[in-house]
Amino acid sequence: YSVTHEGARSIADNMLRRTRINFEASDQGLSIVDQVAELVAPILGWSTSQRQASIEEYKKIVAEQESALSNPSRQREEISS
């Protein structure tokens, strides 16, 4: 639905904004990211490399979020400089 009716065009868009799995699942949805990609890739007409790129983009976002949450003082320093 998020792809066909709401215009989602990436795994990150699905996981972060359309479903909020990123915020609700204890693993931010990493355990199901491949299955999500399998569902949306055919609808979006993705090649294997496009599918993998979208998965990697999402994993990078999750890693950045985890880094920010584990070291909030570092993030404050970066913002103030």
Side-chain angles (χ1 to χ4, degrees):
Y1 187 87
S2 65
V3 174
T4 59
H5 291 78
E6 295 180 358
R9 293 292 175 254
S10 69
I11 300 300
D13 192 4
N14 275 285
M15 304 289 271
L16 292 162
R17 290 179 281 285
R18 310 304 172 150
T19 64
R20 298 185 46 86
I21 290 171
N22 177 268
F23 303 107
E24 302 293 335
S26 61
D27 70 346
Q28 291 80 35
L30 292 174
S31 62
I32 62 165
V33 71
D34 290 324
Q35 290 93 334
V36 172
E38 286 179 30
L39 291 171
V40 303
I43 298 167
L44 294 172
W46 285 349
S47 66
T48 302
S49 62
Q50 288 171 308
R51 180 176 163 264
Q52 193 59 40
S54 193
I55 291 170
E56 293 305 317
E57 173 194 31
Y58 180 68
K59 288 180 178 180
K60 180 181 176 192
I61 291 169
V62 170
E64 290 170 351
Q65 289 175 333
E66 289 177 350
S67 176
L69 290 172
S70 67
N71 196 353
S73 62
R74 181 175 158 232
Q75 187 176 15
R76 280 194 299 270
E77 290 170 10
E78 290 174 0
I79 291 170
S80 63
S81 54

